[in-house]
Amino acid sequence: MSAAAARRYWLVKSEPDVFSFADLCASEDQTTYWDGVRNYQARNFMRDGMKRGDLVLFYHSSTEPAAIVGIAKVVREAYADHTALDPRDPHYDPKSKADAPTWMMVDVRAVEALVNPLTLADLRGVKGLESMVLLQRGSRLSVQPVTAKEWAIVYRMGMKTR
DNA sequence: GCCAACGTTGGC
DNA sequence: GCCAACGTTGGC
């Protein structure tokens, strides 16, 4: 065994009207920078947890139906979110400075779409997903960890052909 | 559109 | 350091 850390798993939320999984697939190299995270807990997961090669569930929020729709992977680890430094950007944060950025982003690349998008209704009640952060009452975290066990269950459900 | 839940701000 | 007020998220 190498000393390399085990791959970790994550879930990110995006409103599809703003940026959808299809938008990611249509991006150059199917890759984009994940800007606009303005929550400390979510930032810490990106900054401290996300490593190259980690896999990410792509979740569409505030849409009907809200669902996990695809899989992406981390291709660049955390670096400064430049949109926080731009006064004209809607995500501008005057507290963030170029020499000491408050907010970070990573780069993610699309891997594949789920054969079956998985709505919250699909996921609720599934054995093994009881503790999934996404399903917790009042959960609003836009970047959240997923356990290997949860990942395996979601992947199996999402890729099962009918 | 409603509203519960949550995170942040700011007065004290 | 407490906590009320406020703004935002996001399911429904």
Side-chain angles (χ1 to χ4, degrees):
Chain A
M1 276 296 278
S2 79
R7 167 184 278 164
R8 293 191 227 187
Y9 302 94
W10 308 94
L11 179 145
V12 298
K13 296 180 182 177
S14 186
E15 298 187 24
D17 291 347
V18 178
F19 192 83
S20 69
F21 189 69
D23 291 330
L24 179 61
C25 293
S27 300
E28 187 177 359
D29 295 329
Q30 296 78 52
T31 301
T32 195
Y33 50 83
W34 205 255
D35 63 314
V37 172
R38 296 292 180 271
N39 169 282
Y40 287 102
Q41 201 179 354
R43 179 207 63 185
N44 293 347
F45 283 130
M46 282 201 305
R47 185 189 62 190
D48 306 331
M50 281 187 164
K51 301 299 173 192
R52 264 161 53 96
D54 284 0
L55 292 172
V56 180
L57 297 172
F58 197 111
Y59 175 79
H60 282 172
S61 64
S62 295
T63 189
E64 185 55 45
I68 299 171
V69 297
I71 293 168
K73 68 177 174 183
V74 177
V75 294
R76 181 177 174 187
E77 295 175 13
Y79 58 108
D81 181 344
H82 60 81
T83 67
L85 305 172
D86 179 357
R88 292 160 311 192
D89 192 282
H91 295 300
Y92 175 60
D93 180 357
K95 295 192 302 298
S96 190
K97 303 296 178 205
D99 57 354
T102 303
W103 304 112
M104 312 292 286
M105 59 190 186
V106 298
D107 286 359
V108 296
R109 177 176 298 159
V111 174
E112 58 188 337
L114 295 192
V115 174
N116 313 308
L118 299 170
T119 67
L120 294 177
D122 292 332
L123 298 170
R124 290 193 199 283
V126 173
K127 190 172 180 333
L129 298 185
E130 296 85 356
S131 300
M132 194 171 181
V133 177
L134 182 70
L135 303 180
Q136 302 312 301
R137 178 179 172 82
S139 173
R140 307 194 312 188
L141 257 188
S142 62
V143 177
Q144 52 182 256
V146 172
T147 68
K149 184 178 160 195
E150 289 163 352
W151 177 274
I153 294 168
V154 169
Y155 188 84
R156 191 181 324 121
M157 290 176 69
M159 289 306 179
K160 189 179 211 170
T161 48
R162 297 181 193 281

